[in-house]
Amino acid sequence: MSTAVALARDPGALSPAAPVPAPAPVNIAPTPAPAAAPAFVPMPPMRAAVYASASILLGLTQGLGLNLITANLTGLQGPLHATQIEINWLAAAYMATNITGTLFLYKVRTQFGLRRFAEIGLIIYALVTIAHLFTDDLRSAIAVRAVMGIAAAPLSTLAFYYMLEWLPPARKLTIGIAFGVLGGQLATPLARVISPELLQIGDWHGLYLIEAGLAMMSLAVIFILPITHPPRVRIFDREDLISFPLIALGFGSIAIILSVGRLYWWLDAPWIGWLGATGIAAITTLVMIELHRAHPIINLRWLSSFDMLTITGSLLLFRFLLSEQTVGAVGFFNMLGLQNDQLIPLFTVILFATLAGYILTAMVMTKENAPALHLIALMMIATGAWMDSHVTSQTRPEQFYVSQAMIAFAGALFLPPALMAGFSKAIAGGPVFILSFLVVFLGTQSMGGILSSAVLGTFQTVREKFHSSVIADHLTLLDPLVVQRIRTYGAAYSRTLTDPALQNAEGVVLLGRMATQEANVLAYQDLFLLIFYTALAGIVLLALHTTYSRVQARRAATA
């Protein structure tokens, strides 16, 4: 009986004349403690190194499967008897199927288990890479690349799991995320470093041979090294039979348009409009269905929250800014006539800068300093783009070492903190939210990449036409300097052409080529400046978002 109840029944119960009797001892059975989660057992250093190496191998296999082809499209034109525009369908076919394949195989992994998912997925991937060796025309190569986009889907997921396997729980969202994506990120510069030697060794078959070899090594890793199985969850339902075809049709159509639309030009090919309308209709129907499903593939309401919109916007922004390397730098040097073998030192610098950036990020990354890391990354990108905006027709890769190293380092500073923020929110929600964030991540990296290439490539083409028209307006035969330049160019043909009129005609052709080259240089200057101003805008937006978040946190603390 409590003291309050005793006082209510007898007010004099606590007086000196009536001492309170000592309470009788009560035997209370001890409550069993809840079962504790199994303690983390550290792996031996050598075994941990093996798992980390397996993660890097799987990431490289997935990344090189895409980048070895996209980095050597020019070298594949001859063997596959394709034009410069037609060869780009190889990249378009891969991107059109990759997102759908990743989402589908994620659900397969969740429902049927990781082991079966890994074994079947890697066997299919290895068979597809071997099938590349038997393709001798463009149509069969496009079909194989489309299947490759689906078959490569398990690799990035497995790279994450093998990196997480040896890490303690406190390090899974820092070192695990940073190094889990490392292999795939290193594959982009590594593909341009090793591809010239591969082409010399085995022509275009050399590219496919290393893909097949990496696939076999990855398959051996899956059978030899076991990993912890995540819990199985029944995640498929009948509505998926409608949603997945719509995802494939919608995202596939948009991916094809963004990959080759600029090459055919947006308004010149009627099929681009029809395909775009089909893709938009499929995505609109998908949104209507997913909003009314009890268990949607993509949780659109969660993705439309302020935090997820912020993460999605930041991922898209940085994917756009990092296209400065693939579209800006590579496109500029290709325009000047430089090929991959002449860009090996530049991409070696990018490779080591990327590696250093991920190592540093894994060491210092926390939830609290993520805005600071993003600010440093934006400042580095802005500085690098500003340095690149001073290019001329005499610029060579050596002048790009510092700027491109800064941009590569900035990319490593940005991606892991953004992934940590997104995955933290997704893990708290469960498997459906993880799948929804996977859509965001893949959409911003895959679709965002080809969207950025399409936007920047279109911008460069429009600016080149503008500068060409301005330069042509100033090239007139009434200008003595123009006449002198034509004669100088024509004199180079004096040994083969004795007619002065023919020499002048060749001089006019050479002058036109030089004018077009200078117009392209000016267009790339504008492109680098666009990246610079976009990075400055990103700094302003980051400052506003950080200020807003702090104000909201103070209000919540006060309340």
Side-chain angles (χ1 to χ4, degrees):
M1 181 182 296
S2 67
T3 303
V5 174
L7 286 172
R9 291 185 176 180
D10 185 5
L14 293 181
S15 64
V20 178
V26 178
N27 294 326
I28 301 176
T31 303
F40 173 78
V41 179
M43 283 189 183
M46 288 300 298
R47 187 171 180 83
V50 171
Y51 273 87
S53 301
S55 172
I56 301 297
L57 172 65
L58 291 166
L60 286 174
T61 303
Q62 190 269 339
L64 290 176
L66 171 63
N67 291 285
L68 277 176
I69 301 302
T70 56
N72 295 278
L73 292 177
T74 303
L76 295 175
Q77 288 180 229
L80 296 179
H81 313 290
T83 64
Q84 184 177 2
I85 294 178
E86 292 172 345
I87 200 66
N88 284 273
W89 280 93
L90 293 178
Y94 184 98
M95 299 305 300
T97 58
N98 184 250
I99 292 182
T100 306
T102 302
L103 297 181
F104 178 76
L105 291 179
Y106 175 85
K107 300 196 78 171
V108 171
R109 193 273 298 168
T110 304
Q111 182 159 332
F112 298 103
L114 182 63
R115 184 76 178 182
R116 187 181 304 174
F117 161 80
E119 293 174 354
I120 297 176
L122 266 296
I123 290 174
I124 294 175
Y125 182 83
L127 292 176
V128 171
T129 54
I130 295 174
H132 277 80
L133 301 175
F134 301 97
T135 58
D136 55 359
D137 65 319
L138 183 62
R139 291 184 178 180
S140 59
I142 290 175
V144 172
R145 293 302 293 176
V147 178
M148 184 88 162
I150 300 175
L155 295 175
S156 57
T157 303
L158 291 172
F160 261 113
Y161 277 111
Y162 272 93
M163 188 60 68
L164 297 178
E165 183 70 19
W166 63 277
L167 289 169
R171 294 293 184 179
K172 289 185 184 295
L173 287 181
T174 54
I175 295 177
I177 285 181
F179 289 163
V181 299
L182 178 60
Q185 299 301 311
L186 292 179
T188 301
L190 183 62
R192 294 187 179 273
V193 172
I194 66 175
S195 57
E197 293 294 332
L198 295 175
L199 289 173
Q200 290 181 9
I201 294 174
D203 198 30
W204 64 283
H205 286 94
L207 303 177
Y208 293 142
L209 281 173
I210 192 171
E211 285 188 26
L214 289 173
M216 294 298 181
M217 293 173 62
S218 300
L219 189 60
V221 164
I222 297 301
F223 282 104
I224 294 174
L225 295 179
I227 55 178
T228 304
H229 294 266
R232 299 184 183 184
V233 179
R234 186 173 180 83
I235 197 172
F236 277 106
D237 53 32
R238 294 181 179 179
E239 287 83 356
D240 290 340
L241 297 176
I242 302 175
S243 294
F244 270 112
L246 290 175
I247 291 175
L249 180 60
F251 284 101
S253 299
I254 301 300
I256 291 174
I257 292 174
L258 294 178
S259 298
V260 300
R262 178 178 61 90
L263 303 175
Y264 288 93
W265 201 243
W266 307 105
L267 303 179
D268 290 350
W271 63 267
I272 294 178
W274 288 108
L275 191 60
T278 302
I280 293 173
I283 294 176
T284 302
T285 306
L286 173 68
V287 170
M288 296 173 61
I289 293 175
E290 292 294 299
L291 285 175
H292 293 85
R293 286 183 61 179
H295 304 287
I297 296 177
I298 307 170
N299 194 324
L300 296 174
R301 291 184 174 86
W302 179 67
L303 293 181
S304 60
S305 63
F306 176 78
D307 290 340
M308 290 309 302
L309 287 177
T310 302
I311 294 174
T312 303
S314 62
L315 287 169
L316 280 175
L317 174 64
F318 268 83
R319 195 67 190 87
F320 178 81
L321 295 176
L322 295 179
S323 295
E324 198 266 5
Q325 287 186 330
T326 55
V327 180
V330 174
F332 173 75
F333 288 122
N334 288 341
M335 181 271 299
L336 293 180
L338 278 67
Q339 301 300 322
N340 285 339
D341 55 344
Q342 297 165 295
L343 300 178
I344 290 178
L346 173 62
F347 281 98
T348 303
V349 171
I350 294 174
L351 178 67
F352 284 104
T354 303
L355 179 61
Y358 275 97
I359 292 175
L360 177 64
T361 303
M363 294 171 59
V364 303
M365 178 176 65
T366 62
K367 291 182 180 180
E368 291 73 20
N369 65 9
L373 294 177
H374 287 171
L375 176 62
I376 295 172
L378 285 169
M379 294 175 63
M380 294 180 72
I381 292 175
T383 304
W386 172 257
M387 295 171 63
D388 292 344
S389 66
H390 296 82
V391 294
T392 67
S393 58
Q394 303 302 315
T395 300
R396 291 300 178 263
E398 292 77 11
Q399 283 82 51
F400 271 56
Y401 285 173
V402 176
S403 62
Q404 292 302 304
M406 293 174 63
I407 293 174
F409 196 90
L413 286 179
F414 161 75
L415 187 59
L419 284 178
M420 179 176 63
F423 272 116
S424 297
K425 296 182 181 299
I427 290 172
V432 176
F433 293 88
I434 295 176
L435 185 59
S436 298
F437 178 72
L438 191 62
V439 174
V440 172
F441 177 63
L442 291 174
T444 54
Q445 297 304 297
S446 301
M447 299 294 289
I450 57 178
L451 173 62
S452 302
S453 299
V455 172
L456 292 177
T458 302
F459 177 82
Q460 190 274 332
T461 301
V462 172
R463 296 301 295 174
E464 185 272 328
K465 299 302 179 184
F466 168 77
H467 290 298
S468 292
S469 64
V470 173
I471 293 174
D473 290 341
H474 292 81
L475 294 180
T476 172
L477 294 178
L478 299 178
D479 188 344
L481 293 178
V482 175
V483 174
Q484 181 183 3
R485 184 61 61 90
I486 291 174
R487 290 176 179 174
T488 302
Y489 289 151
Y493 295 91
S494 59
R495 294 185 179 181
T496 56
L497 298 176
T498 58
D499 188 349
L502 294 178
Q503 293 179 15
N504 288 337
E506 293 296 331
V508 170
V509 173
L510 287 178
L511 182 61
R513 292 177 183 173
M514 295 299 295
T516 301
Q517 184 184 74
E518 292 302 322
N520 275 292
V521 171
L522 294 173
Y524 277 104
Q525 289 180 2
D526 296 341
L527 186 147
F528 293 132
L529 284 176
L530 175 64
I531 298 293
F532 168 71
Y533 289 121
T534 305
L536 292 183
I539 293 175
V540 174
L541 291 175
L542 177 62
L544 293 176
H545 177 260
T546 303
T547 304
Y548 174 80
S549 299
R550 290 178 178 177
V551 170
Q552 292 295 104
R554 289 175 183 174
R555 289 180 179 177
T558 303

